[in-house]
Amino acid sequence: RNHRLNLIDKMANSIHHLLESCDRTDSRRTKEALVAARGRGVKLGNPNGRAALRRAGEDGSALRCTVTGNADAFARELAPVIASIRCEGCTTLRAIADALNARGIRTRRGGRWHVSTVKNLLGRIATLRH
């Protein structure tokens, strides 16, 4: 039994070192690819991120307020749809996501619904009710 535990420890240690090596290799490759992209003149990052925050003010509170307001309005619009879907018997996050997708309703940013996006929407709807 002791021999088996030692063998398991050695295998776990080997796997750990292998994964660390893979992480270092991935990190090195990513850094090299970014340097190569910069060398080709590719602009990296969000071109509007810093400018949008500058326009919005020092701390970005006006921008956050606008984004939050848009998300709240979207949640208010979808609250009756979610209630209808739940009345049809779809109660799990997955079932609600599938129902929204089947109806052709897109997320606020135009994407498909997933468990996480439905969970966020339900949380926002619950917050709006209080």
Side-chain angles (χ1 to χ4, degrees):
R1 180 175 175 167
N2 228 3
H3 176 69
R4 284 186 190 157
L5 289 176
N6 286 339
L7 183 61
I8 291 171
D9 283 344
K10 286 180 182 178
M11 288 176 60
N13 198 21
S14 295
I15 291 170
H16 175 75
H17 287 296
L18 178 65
L19 291 174
E20 277 185 343
S21 174
C22 289
D23 286 346
R24 283 192 300 270
T25 301
D26 289 347
S27 176
R28 181 180 46 80
R29 286 182 184 156
T30 300
K31 288 175 185 173
E32 289 171 357
L34 289 171
V35 168
R38 283 189 200 105
R40 292 190 310 270
V42 174
K43 291 194 176 196
L44 301 172
N46 183 348
N48 299 316
R50 186 176 298 179
L53 284 175
R54 245 187 263 121
R55 285 191 308 271
E58 283 292 318
D59 62 356
S61 60
L63 181 62
R64 268 193 309 280
C65 185
T66 300
V67 170
T68 301
N70 289 340
D72 288 347
F74 186 71
R76 275 190 211 95
E77 288 176 24
L78 280 184
V81 176
I82 295 295
S84 170
I85 288 171
R86 282 180 158 169
C87 285
E88 293 169 5
C90 298
T91 56
T92 66
L93 297 174
R94 168 71 56 214
I96 294 170
D98 291 343
L100 289 166
N101 289 325
R103 292 181 183 201
I105 299 171
R106 295 292 190 174
T107 64
R108 173 80 174 92
R109 298 175 76 184
R112 292 181 50 77
W113 290 94
H114 302 280
V115 169
S116 59
T117 49
V118 171
K119 182 179 178 184
N120 293 339
L121 174 68
L122 295 179
R124 185 168 294 277
I125 291 170
T127 301
L128 292 173
R129 288 186 180 151
H130 291 108

